[in-house]
Amino acid sequence: MNPAIESPKRLQNVFVVAERPAELHAFYASALGLQLKFRDQDRWIQYGVGNTSVALACREEAVPATSGVVMVFEVEDFAATAQRVAALGGEVLGMRDMGAHGAVLSLRDPEGNIVQLFKRQGSTP
């Protein structure tokens, strides 16, 4: 482990790219007993699970992911991580500013998987 590289603060979120989020919501809430934490209509349905969140995202909300599961890590700084991702064969896909909610930097790993970094509003650029 390289002590100069700051590790993510925590696994902030994991989300499933869903074709029919409302139907999946009925499943996850009833079959697994997940407790609703936040809902933006059928675009983003988020549950609290321990110290993290699990969510269902419609395709439009999940972009650039189009299927599967996406890990979202909370970090303090985007710039240093973006440089390392590019240097190690990954791709920086872009940032989405969500105002008071913070910002998300989307990345693609060398095998094509989408990973996102979440930064709270007011953190380092």
Side-chain angles (χ1 to χ4, degrees):
M1 186 167 122
N2 185 344
I5 298 174
E6 186 175 329
S7 180
K9 294 169 70 173
R10 69 184 182 108
L11 178 63
Q12 195 267 346
N13 191 340
V14 173
F15 68 87
V16 175
V17 180
E19 291 294 325
R20 297 177 304 280
E23 291 176 31
L24 277 184
H25 169 57
F27 172 81
Y28 282 99
S30 298
L32 299 180
L34 297 184
Q35 298 298 306
L36 186 65
K37 182 176 177 181
F38 172 80
R39 185 169 185 170
D40 180 7
Q41 300 172 0
D42 288 342
R43 295 182 57 76
W44 184 267
I45 303 168
Q46 185 167 317
Y47 311 95
V49 180
N51 291 330
T52 193
S53 296
V54 173
L56 305 172
C58 70
R59 281 182 173 261
E60 295 80 23
E61 193 67 26
V63 168
T66 57
S67 65
V69 175
V70 177
M71 294 181 292
V72 182
F73 295 100
E74 184 172 339
V75 298
E76 290 286 333
D77 176 37
F78 284 163
T81 302
Q83 290 174 347
R84 288 192 307 271
V85 165
L88 294 169
E91 179 182 2
V92 176
L93 301 174
M95 186 186 76
R96 178 176 173 209
D97 186 344
M98 300 181 301
H101 291 291
V104 172
L105 182 67
S106 295
L107 315 166
R108 186 180 319 274
D109 74 15
E111 289 193 7
N113 300 299
I114 301 296
V115 177
Q116 292 183 327
L117 305 179
F118 169 76
K119 183 176 65 163
R120 295 188 184 279
Q121 184 182 36
S123 296
T124 308

